[in-house]
Amino acid sequence: DVKVTQSSRYLVKRTGEKVFLECVQDMDHENMFWYRQDPGLGLRLIYFSYDVKMKEKGDIPEGYSVSREKKERFSLILESASTNQTSMYLCAITGTGNTGELFFGEGSRLTVL
Amino acid sequence: SQQGEEDPQALSIQEGENATMNCSYKTSINNLQWYRQNSGRGLVHLILIRSNEREKHSGRLRVTLDTSKKSSSLLITASRAADTASYFCARSDSNYQLIWGAGTKLIIKP
């Protein structure tokens, strides 16, 4: 079974703090994604990566950065958290083949006070 | 990116009834996928239907695709309380990027 692990399920941070969200996969897949999910808005793509040290902006990259130093780990960074970044963050990887089917982690719910 | 439209936004039915959720889109697709999300959890892939397919089944799930109407539906037959979740459609565009709908919240009443 594909395993995508997000290290923190729940975080509470203060405005201005730096936040790291970690995602680790055990399937040696190249493609990794970070989404945020807000009620009524569905999933919105923040960043994705097709390989180590490679990153591409998604639809809403502002206020975020990412790091992919190793193939199995994709980190989402909020340099200076703001209250409008309170959200559910979902990491995903693509399966085998080229259909775009995604496997998700359990999500990290971030609250910024 | 352009989101798909899902309806209804919320659906509440009795256990044992069938649940139908719909998804419409505006541009061409490579495939369309349905996902399920239990409250506070990650999404789980349910079924993928390619643009040249019209219907697919998986257990109690039936997905149809009508490319002329640019719409898809997910049918859950003989619903169970455990089917309570949010269901999302996502269409895969020509670059295999996924564009997501806002989801349908399904509640199955025991």
Side-chain angles (χ1 to χ4, degrees):
Chain A
D1 281 353
V2 176
K3 193 165 177 65
V4 181
T5 303
Q6 293 183 232
S7 54
S8 303
R9 289 294 313 279
Y10 302 95
L11 301 95
V12 179
K13 298 291 182 180
R14 297 210 173 272
T15 300
E17 281 193 76
K18 191 169 185 175
V19 182
F20 290 89
L21 299 178
E22 298 283 327
C23 177
V24 178
Q25 54 123 339
D26 66 351
M27 292 298 294
D28 200 35
H29 286 194
E30 285 80 19
N31 304 335
M32 299 186 75
F33 304 80
W34 274 107
Y35 287 90
R36 69 175 279 176
Q37 182 181 27
D38 301 288
L41 296 179
L43 274 69
R44 293 181 291 168
L45 182 62
I46 305 171
Y47 268 97
F48 60 100
S49 171
Y50 285 146
D51 205 345
V52 175
K53 296 191 185 295
M54 179 273 178
K55 60 185 179 184
E56 292 284 345
K57 292 180 180 179
D59 299 317
I60 51 163
E62 297 78 18
Y64 303 94
S65 62
V66 290
S67 172
R68 185 123 181 241
E69 295 297 318
K70 294 184 178 180
K71 192 174 186 179
E72 67 270 19
R73 189 179 297 268
F74 191 34
S75 302
L76 180 69
I77 304 156
L78 288 67
E79 292 289 342
S80 178
S82 62
T83 55
N84 63 12
Q85 292 178 310
T86 291
S87 187
M88 171 73 111
Y89 290 89
L90 294 162
C91 175
I93 67 174
T94 48
T96 55
N98 198 27
T99 58
E101 170 190 346
L102 293 178
F103 294 91
F104 284 85
E106 287 293 316
S108 299
R109 181 162 296 281
L110 172 67
T111 301
V112 183
L113 302 175
Chain B
S1 60
Q2 201 166 31
Q3 286 187 326
E5 299 284 338
E6 290 180 64
D7 76 274
Q9 290 186 330
L11 178 62
S12 180
I13 61 173
Q14 290 295 137
E15 194 168 19
E17 294 180 341
N18 296 341
T20 300
M21 290 158 272
N22 303 295
C23 174
S24 62
Y25 55 93
K26 295 180 181 177
T27 59
S28 62
I29 61 170
N30 279 308
N31 63 64
L32 191 141
Q33 304 174 31
W34 286 90
Y35 290 78
R36 166 197 169 120
Q37 183 181 35
N38 287 355
S39 180
R41 308 297 292 271
L43 281 76
V44 175
H45 182 265
L46 293 176
I47 202 163
L48 179 152
I49 187 164
R50 292 181 168 78
S51 59
N52 61 353
E53 297 176 315
R54 293 295 166 259
E55 188 169 312
K56 279 190 94 167
H57 296 254
S58 176
R60 291 184 297 113
L61 305 180
R62 181 170 77 98
V63 168
T64 60
L65 178 65
D66 186 334
T67 52
S68 66
K69 294 181 179 177
K70 291 187 166 57
S71 68
S72 174
S73 66
L74 169 67
L75 168 68
I76 303 174
T77 60
S79 63
R80 304 168 182 170
D83 294 328
T84 293
S86 292
Y87 292 83
F88 294 87
C89 72
R91 62 179 176 85
S92 175
D93 67 12
S94 56
N95 295 316
Y96 292 101
Q97 297 296 324
L98 287 182
I99 296 104
W100 295 83
T104 294
K105 188 166 186 175
L106 175 65
I107 296 172
I108 308 299
K109 294 178 286 187

